[in-house]
């Protein structure tokens, strides 16, 4: 079965796993659900930068402990990996654990969090209409009082 084939690239399916053959190299492409099945200490796979890594043998040697790796299963752990700031030697060491690539269409899109709209909170529970009327009438009353005092003191 060929999908999107050209003279340089073809895609084949083997036991439900896409096996992509490009220029003689075979790279397995896994879906996120397939990778998510490997989430135990005896079988642990993670996804970083579009590649799938079987880190089962590395769990005991990981400087951050095995819980860090186990908590990164079943999702794209790229952000977690990059936030820590791994060394170049750690990045080179990863290649020996690479078992294939992830099908990017199976990774859910990141959505930006937008907080829900909050209604305006009026602490003293008076209606906004009354507040607006008072904002208009109080200065007008002060002005009227000042004019009244001025007229009264001028005539006296």
């Amino acid at each position: 079965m060929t999908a999107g084939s050209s003279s340089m690239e073809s895609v084949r399916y083997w036991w439900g796993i896409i096996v992509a053959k490009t220029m003689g190299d075979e790279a397995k492409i896994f879906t996120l659900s397939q990778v998510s099945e490997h989430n135990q200490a005896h079988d642990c796979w993670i996804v970083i930068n579009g590649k799938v890594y079987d880190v089962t043998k590395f769990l005991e040697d990981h400087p951050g402990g095995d819980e860090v790796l186990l908590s990164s299963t079943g999702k794209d752990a790229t952000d977690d990996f990059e936030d820590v700031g791994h060394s170049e030697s750690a990045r080179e060491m990863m290649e020996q654990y690479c078992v294939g690539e992830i099908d990017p269409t199976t990774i859910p899109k990141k959505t930006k969090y937008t907080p829900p709209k909050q209604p305006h909170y009026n602490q003293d529970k008076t209606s906004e209409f009354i507040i607006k009327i008072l904002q208009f009438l109080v200065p007008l009353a002060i002005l009227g009082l000042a004019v009244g005092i001025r007229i009264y003191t001028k005539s006296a």
Side-chain angles (χ1 to χ4, degrees):
M1 177 179 224
T2 313
S5 65
S6 68
S7 60
M8 301 285 260
E9 178 181 359
S10 67
V11 177
R12 294 182 296 139
Y13 295 89
W14 178 73
W15 289 87
I17 299 173
I18 302 170
V19 178
K21 185 175 184 181
T22 307
M23 308 250 300
D25 294 335
E26 286 198 14
K28 289 185 180 176
I29 299 177
F30 300 97
T31 64
L32 187 60
S33 62
Q34 290 172 323
V35 175
S36 298
E37 294 172 5
H38 304 272
N39 60 1
Q40 304 293 322
H42 63 275
D43 184 23
C44 181
W45 290 15
I46 60 173
V47 177
I48 299 173
N49 291 323
K51 293 186 177 181
V52 179
Y53 298 94
D54 180 355
V55 294
T56 308
K57 295 178 183 175
F58 185 65
L59 287 175
E60 292 179 13
D61 298 329
H62 187 259
D66 61 348
E67 286 300 318
V68 174
L69 294 175
L70 288 169
S71 68
S72 297
T73 60
K75 65 176 183 173
D76 184 358
T78 303
D79 290 339
D80 297 339
F81 179 80
E82 296 298 338
D83 287 346
V84 173
H86 287 86
S87 66
E88 192 60 37
S89 63
R91 293 173 189 275
E92 291 171 4
M93 185 187 306
M94 289 172 51
E95 292 308 314
Q96 66 181 322
Y97 299 106
C98 185
V99 292
E101 296 181 1
I102 190 76
D103 180 1
T105 61
T106 62
I107 296 177
K109 302 291 182 216
K110 294 180 183 175
T111 56
K112 184 180 176 190
Y113 174 74
T114 53
K117 300 284 184 194
Q118 296 287 333
H120 178 68
Y121 179 67
N122 192 352
Q123 198 171 21
D124 57 3
K125 304 290 186 217
T126 59
S127 71
E128 290 187 28
F129 178 70
I130 293 173
I131 291 173
K132 291 199 183 283
I133 289 176
L134 289 176
Q135 287 176 337
F136 176 74
L137 291 178
V138 169
L140 193 60
I142 292 172
L143 180 64
L145 184 62
V147 169
I149 291 173
R150 174 81 172 153
I151 291 173
Y152 178 73
T153 57
K154 199 171 195 183
S155 66

